[in-house]
């Protein structure tokens, strides 16, 4: 008997809320504005021997 009442209550709840949900597409496109600032910093260290070799031969590269 209790299962029958629970089932009837569940069906009644689903029937009552069946027509309440409406999904429609918006008239205008959705805009997402993201203000993003990307900064990249490159740090390099050059070996002393390589540095002197480059200074002696500036046209090497």
């Amino acid at each position: 008997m209790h299962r029958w009442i629970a089932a009837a209550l569940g069906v009644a709840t689903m029937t009552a809320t069946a027509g309440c949900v409406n999904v429609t597409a918006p008239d205008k496109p959705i805009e997402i504005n993201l203000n993003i600032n990307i900064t990249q910093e490159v740090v390099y260290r050059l070996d002393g021997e390589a540095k002197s070799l480059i200074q002696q031969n500036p046209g090497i590269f």
Side-chain angles (χ1 to χ4, degrees), residues 24-47:
T24 58
D27 294 336
K28 298 178 183 177
I30 299 171
E31 281 188 35
I32 300 173
N33 294 322
L34 300 175
N35 294 325
I36 299 174
N37 185 9
I38 299 174
T39 305
Q40 182 179 7
E41 182 177 331
V42 179
V43 179
Y44 67 94
R45 292 190 182 104
L46 195 57
D47 183 50

Side-chain angles (χ1 to χ4, degrees), residues 8-31:
L9 250 161
V11 170
T13 304
M14 287 191 295
T15 304
T17 60
C20 295
V21 178
N22 293 328
V23 178
T24 58
D27 294 336
K28 298 178 183 177
I30 299 171
E31 281 188 35

Side-chain angles (χ1 to χ4, degrees), residues 45-57:
R45 292 190 182 104
L46 195 57
D47 183 50
E49 190 174 319
K51 186 176 181 179
S52 66
L53 181 65
I54 291 171
Q55 287 174 348
Q56 290 172 2
N57 302 312

